Amino acid sequence: MLSFLIARQTGVDEPVRLRRAESTRRVLSLELNHDRDVECIHGNGINTIDIEVIEGRYMLSGGSDGVIVIYDLENNSKKPHYTCKAVCTVGRSSRYVHKFSVETVQWYPHDTGMFVSSSFDKTMKVWDTETLKPAEVFQFEGNVYCHHMSPIARKHGLIAVGTKDPKVQLCDLKSGSRIHILQGHRGEVLSVKWSPRYEHILATASTDSRVRVWDVRRASGSLFTLDQHNGDKSKASSESVNTAHDGRVNGLCFTDDGLYLLTAGTDDRMRLWNSATGENTLVNYGKVVNESRKGVKFTVSRGCSPEFVFVPCGSSVAMYGLHTGELVTMLRGHYNNVDCCEFHPDYQELYSGGKDCNILAWVPVLRHPDTEDEGAANILLKHVNPARCKKI
Amino acid sequence: MNRKRTLMPDAFRTKKRRFGADNLIGNPEHGDVQEGPPDVKATLQYLMTLFPRKLFNDSLPQIVLKHQLYSLHSDKTLVDKQVNELRDQGELLMFQLGFDSDTFALVFSVDYRAKVLAGEAGRATLGTVEKFLDKVLPCCSDLSFSKDKMLKQFLFTDAEITQLVKSGVLTVRDAGSWWLSIPNSGRFTKYFIQGRKAVLGMVKKSKYNEILKTDLEERRTTSHVKLHMKYHVHDIIGAELVECIQTTSGTLLRFVDT
């Protein structure tokens, strides 16, 4: 650590190298901390979590009971023990609450005045955070599995929506129109994601085992389909030619720089693709257990080197190295299936929600000397203030 | 959960890792996971020795499954890369056995050639098979061939293709395309599936669905298990049908319920 600081001070290393090394060390030491809690509001499983990008302070969560809760993640009390309180909720008593389970929630990417939620009651609602009333309701013919707004878009305000219908619909926030549709899939669209690098590139995953990448400005169909065998038609049986997975594809995630796309499917595999060419990088993650009938929401770390993928696997969250494919660790703590997880890039924390109605916060363990020689008192003080520990 | 030794990124790692008694290559016979870059060829040769040649009257080349390599090396991506390199160099051949789209069998090209020609000796199809082995295998490392390719690129006639299917080198995949296959490998596939089921059954029947790896290797095998026990153990670990847990008494195999 000291060598990094001195290298940075003398100009031998660029400043970002120390930051990356420390972020990676923090991500590798993620653990459940008894000092950090998230208030338990949901009465039923939690399907989706989103942390706003501007300040990283507010977290949205959507549950299977249709309830949406906003939490404040910042610790303003001077004590180390902190419970993230719910700031406001759209509960069952609200007139505008969703009738069935909320599948996806997302903050408006440019400020926290607005958020969008989509649910199995076939609607997508655009909410005003101040009054907690929907400013706009989009009605669909089938269950809405997922939606996504581009985090970098300046020229358009499109929300991509994946429903039971094989057509991907694009709803415009600025005009309220929804005439733009993307045709090409032959099954329900389980996951949609905009690229964080180019504001017009969209990836969609469907039950027909295909993942398509679109440029929404193009009038004709998708740019390309991801092929797990990279065009090597001899490897597959004839049905699985040109498919991304051998089962339903239910999870999509771009890496932070937008250069790679991760997909997860019910064939228990996760694949890493080059997002520009659609080539399968053939990183082997082994068996990534995936039994979800809906979308799987997983996330990639940001600001570390090497990057890590956090995938919900049964009742734990599995952490894999992004480019090596090795399983780093399993984060165990939930009592039931984990449905979603979200990474907080500023503090390198992971929040995961599941069927046991809990949102767990995985916090990096503070750097501390070996526990073997210290007395019990020091172990308690350590989490409070490392400077107060007696040095060995 | 308080890990005594926390995970450290490479950037902060200053201490060199301590090596065991037989260090540089590790000892595959002890089932150790190797440190350093994996030597896939050496591991393949070790796994080939586990294949029972006498059982098939020496008519089959030694077959190893690709996922058995994963049980001996921790980095699957590197193993895959090295296998693909060996295939491109022409030393290794990969086959789809047919019972699972994800399972691939690996055979050394030299072995394959020798056994196929030995099996064909004295038959009318010998000439066609030789032509196939000489023309197609060195340049094309595909797993399956379509009719187009066979007729136009390699200039085989329909009659010759029928002869190849008869001899067992090609197996029907669907109308107009064929898998590359090992002649007489049907018996191997049958024994393999039977044996895998029996070994998994042994793990399932144990108390708490778990058993120490050394215990499993020493168990008396029933008549259903015709291949070597260690062969099956590497197979179930590599295919992630059992979970491998390190304990103070050795490696524990726990059945994974899916």
Side-chain angles (χ1 to χ4, degrees), chain A residues 21-34:
Chain A
E22 184 60 18
S23 303
T24 316
R25 192 200 64 82
R26 282 170 66 86
V27 169
L28 284 174
S29 64
L30 280 180
E31 215 177 69
L32 277 182
N33 194 335
H34 48 236

Side-chain angles (χ1 to χ4, degrees), chain A residues 31 236 238 269 284 287 324, chain B residues 70 77 80 102 173-174 240:
Chain A
E31 215 177 69
S238 15
R269 297 270 176 266
N284 193 334
K287 190 160 149 187
T324 58
Chain B
Y70 300 151
T77 317
D80 282 348
D102 237 349
R173 177 180 160 203
D174 68 32
E240 292 187 77

Side-chain angles (χ1 to χ4, degrees), chain A residues 4 21-22 24-25 28 31 232-238 269 282-284 286-287 324 328-329 372, chain B residues 1 3-4 7-9 11-12 70 75-77 80 94 96 101-102 104 142-144 173-174 179 240:
Chain A
F4 277 106
E22 184 60 18
T24 316
R25 192 200 64 82
L28 284 174
E31 215 177 69
D232 185 7
K233 291 203 177 59
S234 68
K235 222 173 174 192
S237 59
S238 15
R269 297 270 176 266
L282 296 175
V283 177
N284 193 334
K287 190 160 149 187
T324 58
V328 175
T329 181
E372 284 150 16
Chain B
M1 177 183 69
R3 268 196 230 103
K4 278 258 162 113
L7 298 167
M8 266 295 176
F12 283 113
Y70 300 151
D75 193 342
K76 298 189 180 75
T77 317
D80 282 348
M94 194 153 94
Q96 247 257 25
S101 61
D102 237 349
F104 298 105
D142 282 346
L143 271 74
S144 79
R173 177 180 160 203
D174 68 32
W179 293 114
E240 292 187 77

Side-chain angles (χ1 to χ4, degrees), chain A residues 33-41 59 71-77 79-87 351 359 361:
Chain A
N33 194 335
H34 48 236
D35 284 336
R36 180 73 69 89
D37 228 339
V38 177
E39 198 182 342
C40 193
I41 303 275
M59 180 166 79
Y71 300 91
D72 180 358
L73 297 178
E74 199 167 288
N75 185 357
N76 284 325
S77 71
K79 294 175 263 159
H81 181 87
Y82 174 65
T83 305
C84 300
K85 290 259 176 273
V87 170
Y351 291 89
I359 298 181

Side-chain angles (χ1 to χ4, degrees), chain A residues 104-147:
Chain A
T104 321
V105 282
Q106 193 194 3
W107 285 107
Y108 182 55
H110 306 295
D111 65 59
T112 52
M114 191 161 80
F115 61 90
V116 185
S117 69
S118 63
S119 129
F120 270 1
D121 66 355
K122 306 181 190 180
T123 62
M124 181 168 77
K125 298 191 178 167
V126 180
W127 301 80
D128 176 347
T129 324
E130 204 65 31
T131 56
L132 283 185
K133 292 206 190 98
E136 176 76 60
V137 178
F138 292 96
Q139 197 73 30
F140 296 95
E141 280 98 42
N143 289 347
V144 183
Y145 283 108
C146 57
H147 74 265

